[in-house]
Amino acid sequence: MSHVPRAGIVHRLDKDTSGLLLVAKTEAAHAALSRQMKARTIRRRYLALAEGDLPLDAGTVDVPIGRHATHRKTMAVRHLGGRAAVTHYRVLKRLGAMGHMSHVTCHMSVVELSLETGRTHQIRVHLAHLGHPVVGDTTYGKHPASFWRQAGVDRQLLHAYQLSFTHPRTGRPMTLTAPTPDDIGRWIGDI
């Protein structure tokens, strides 16, 4: 077996995002999966808890993303100099301020998201752009870490739950899923 640079990672996740990674075991598999990623045939679905009630039950965010002009470690919507970024979303459930999180005055939405593109922090930037950042996101959200810790949230509640692609060796369609982690599941229950 040959060794692949960067451990053959084809689909990676932001720090503190849970879910599926896609890692190739060989250079040939890495090349084949990378071609699928470039052709946008790998389907990625995410589950997020977003702040507030999204006004539409479904929609598409199609705004470019690039490095923030002054905070170079973060990303931002950049109409000039940004790269195309497209996120589709669907609201699965709307939640009110709940039990041990009653100090939160806004409602929350359980959102399923799928990506056409794969920009750094894309979902987090796009939801924040809509005014509904991911719950627990202290980089793009409205609240500091202390606020979320008080609510029992230790990370942004974003989970890559499904990947669909063509197996690079057999050519068979593959769909992988990861169960919802407990820290998200306790908020959303059955959906």
Side-chain angles (χ1 to χ4, degrees):
M1 178 183 343
S2 60
H3 294 284
V4 181
R6 300 178 79 186
I9 296 174
V10 178
H11 174 256
R12 62 182 41 91
L13 298 175
D14 296 345
K15 180 183 177 207
D16 292 332
T17 295
S18 59
L20 296 166
L21 299 171
L22 185 55
V23 181
K25 289 172 63 174
T26 66
E27 287 185 38
H30 188 267
L33 290 168
S34 293
R35 281 191 299 274
Q36 289 180 53
M37 187 67 82
K38 187 173 184 177
R40 299 181 181 175
T41 59
I42 294 179
R43 298 288 172 225
R44 296 156 290 165
R45 293 192 183 281
Y46 292 76
L47 186 64
L49 191 59
E51 292 186 51
D53 284 329
L54 276 82
L56 302 174
D57 289 337
T60 297
V61 184
D62 185 355
V63 292
I65 293 175
R67 291 266 169 224
H68 191 282
T70 55
H71 303 288
R72 303 302 292 165
K73 290 186 178 183
T74 62
M75 306 303 282
V77 168
R78 297 285 307 262
H79 293 286
L80 296 174
R83 295 176 69 195
V86 180
T87 304
H88 303 284
Y89 71 89
R90 182 170 61 104
V91 176
L92 301 178
K93 190 175 186 180
R94 288 181 167 81
L95 309 170
M98 297 166 31
H100 52 292
M101 200 160 163
S102 60
H103 70 285
V104 176
T105 57
C106 68
H107 292 186
M108 295 173 276
S109 300
V110 180
V111 186
E112 180 186 59
L113 305 114
S114 62
L115 302 178
E116 274 189 38
T117 55
R119 307 292 172 228
T120 301
H121 301 175
Q122 179 174 321
I123 290 172
R124 297 165 60 202
V125 170
H126 276 173
L127 284 177
H129 177 72
L130 292 177
H132 300 280
V134 175
V135 167
D137 190 343
T138 59
T139 301
Y140 301 105
K142 303 171 185 177
H143 304 289
S146 59
F147 175 89
W148 291 118
R149 275 194 303 275
Q150 193 176 23
V153 176
D154 297 324
R155 65 177 185 99
Q156 69 259 3
L157 298 184
L158 178 61
H159 178 64
Y161 81 89
Q162 188 177 83
L163 285 174
S164 299
F165 57 95
T166 301
H167 191 283
R169 187 173 44 80
T170 67
R172 290 185 177 160
M174 304 278 301
T175 297
L176 307 175
T177 58
T180 304
D182 292 342
D183 62 349
I184 294 177
R186 72 183 177 115
W187 298 104
I188 65 175
D190 294 328
I191 51 172

